[in-house]
Amino acid sequence: MGTRSLSIDTPDSLYERDLVEGAGKVSRGGGSFKNHDSSLVVEQRSSPLRREAVNRSAFAMKTHENGEIDLEDGKLEKPIDKLMRSNKVIVHNQALLAGLAYCISSCSMILVNKFVLSSYNFNAGISLMLYQNLISVIIVTSLSLLGVISTEPLTWRLIKVWLPVNVIFVGMLITSMFSLKYINVAMVTVLKNVTNVITAVGEMYLFQKHHDNRVWVALFLMIVSAISGGLTDLSFHAVGYTWQIINCFLTASYSLTLRRVMDTAKQVTRSGNLNEFSMVMLNNTLSLPLGLVLIFVFNEVDYLTTTPLLRLPVFWLVMTLSGFLGLAISFTSMWFLHQTGATTYSLVGSLNKIPLSLAGILLFKVPTSLENSASILFGLLAGVFFARAKMRERP
């Protein structure tokens, strides 16, 4: 949620799937959930992304019993009824604002990253990831010191437990950067659907999770759209597609591995819990030394010392903006989820890919054909169908 995020690579912030399904259990069972960036992308009863849900009706029912009678236009009405109607308007407006903020930050993150990597032709994706994560660490640390949020201290025991997850997390971010440099935004959103297929199969074999027929139909449609989209892609780039397929496997692995590590990680924290802000700190702080090593492994140091881009203030401004947007996805996704429900959140996240794809094609002047456009639209609609099927699926 989340959580750097949501990242980090997509409006599917890397944690969106966990966030939605964790909330799905709350909406069905009235329980609590602990929220986990970005993608951010799983099984409801073990999702790390559940935090306590607010029961709005409890307060309304309690105060309704003690309400006083008032006269208005010859009708009896209790003051609390007026308050409830007023609160509904406020909640509705906040939900609309939260949804708008989530959609804008989600779309902007992808488009800004694409702009940095393609339009500026910046050939240091690992360095960009490292800079974005550094910004997230600085912001979250500052908020924690100011007492705005609470985070768990980074102990050696916690770091050792979390390190395997973080390695996958870093790989997920890097491959996302590499693929986005070569593939247009619309095809990236369609190909990311493959992650859902891999995750579903992994859940079935690792956690004995059984999906209903609607889910499998949606997954099949996603595969068909990804294959047809690649075959009709006029700007097809084999290297970019390779990186994106690797990214799908890493994203699914992160989602599945996170479920196993979460329970162990909670046991070694002081509070016995691990909220989403602590995950932001863990993932982004641990990614810094690993990112520095990879910068030398991929020989980005020589490029950074010679590129004139780092001498442009505007370029630094754009990179910094991308870092703020990465963190913004985590906060706005949590805000939106709390103001609405899991179904609304999931559907908006899926529908959000449609304007994102159109914006990517128009802003970057991507050459396309009728067949490719149809494949992209088909894939996006399959994603919407998948979101609805998952929300209706029995726990």
Side-chain angles (χ1 to χ4, degrees), residues 30-206:
S32 64
F33 67 95
K34 292 182 176 62
N35 200 327
H36 125 347
D37 271 341
S38 127
S39 53
L40 87 205
V41 148
V42 227
E43 165 78 293
Q44 296 153 347
R45 49 182 170 271
S46 60
S47 172
L49 305 178
R50 302 172 187 168
R51 58 160 49 171
E52 294 191 2
V54 178
N55 190 339
R56 299 186 181 97
S57 61
F59 172 79
M61 291 175 63
K62 182 177 179 180
T63 53
H64 180 74
E65 295 173 355
N66 300 323
E68 297 179 359
I69 298 177
D70 189 17
L71 290 174
E72 183 177 349
D73 295 331
K75 296 180 180 180
L76 294 178
E77 183 176 28
K78 298 180 180 180
I80 192 64
D81 293 334
K82 298 178 184 178
L83 179 62
M84 289 171 62
R85 286 205 307 271
S86 176
N87 285 341
K88 286 181 181 179
V89 174
I90 293 174
V91 170
H92 176 73
N93 290 338
Q94 285 196 7
L96 183 62
L97 182 61
L100 185 62
Y102 165 66
C103 290
I104 292 176
S105 61
S106 178
C107 291
S108 299
M109 177 65 180
I110 297 295
L111 296 176
V112 170
N113 274 351
K114 179 65 176 178
F115 182 70
V116 171
L117 295 169
S118 296
S119 298
Y120 274 109
N121 197 28
F122 186 60
N123 293 319
I126 302 175
S127 301
L128 176 60
M129 176 216 68
L130 190 67
Y131 184 68
Q132 291 174 348
N133 290 4
L134 178 61
I135 291 176
S136 295
V137 171
I138 293 173
I139 294 175
V140 174
T141 301
S142 300
L143 293 177
S144 180
L145 292 175
L146 293 173
V148 178
I149 61 175
S150 62
T151 57
E152 290 289 332
L154 302 183
T155 63
W156 279 113
R157 291 181 64 193
L158 182 58
I159 291 174
K160 286 189 293 185
V161 170
W162 199 262
L163 191 58
V165 177
N166 187 256
V167 172
I168 302 175
F169 173 79
V170 172
M172 181 174 62
L173 297 186
I174 293 175
T175 52
S176 175
M177 293 289 187
F178 288 169
S179 66
L180 196 59
K181 178 176 176 58
Y182 299 104
I183 309 177
N184 67 74
V185 174
M187 280 307 305
V188 166
T189 59
V190 172
L191 291 174
K192 281 184 177 297
N193 286 335
V194 177
T195 300
N196 295 323
V197 180
I198 300 172
T199 303
V201 175
E203 287 176 337
M204 185 174 64
Y205 283 101
L206 297 177

Side-chain angles (χ1 to χ4, degrees), residues 278-289:
S278 298
M279 287 186 173
V280 171
M281 286 296 296
L282 267 173
N283 273 332
N284 291 280
T285 301
L286 295 181
S287 71
L288 298 181

Side-chain angles (χ1 to χ4, degrees), residues 191-249:
L191 291 174
K192 281 184 177 297
N193 286 335
V194 177
T195 300
N196 295 323
V197 180
I198 300 172
T199 303
V201 175
E203 287 176 337
M204 185 174 64
Y205 283 101
L206 297 177
F207 304 105
Q208 288 73 51
K209 166 71 175 178
H210 298 288
H211 304 284
D212 62 28
N213 292 334
R214 288 172 297 187
V215 172
W216 288 115
V217 170
L219 294 174
F220 175 74
L221 295 177
M222 288 177 178
I223 295 176
V224 172
S225 66
I227 295 175
S228 60
L231 293 175
T232 58
D233 187 4
L234 298 181
S235 57
F236 178 86
H237 198 292
V239 173
Y241 272 72
T242 301
W243 281 120
Q244 184 55 53
I245 295 300
I246 296 175
N247 174 260
C248 290
F249 277 96

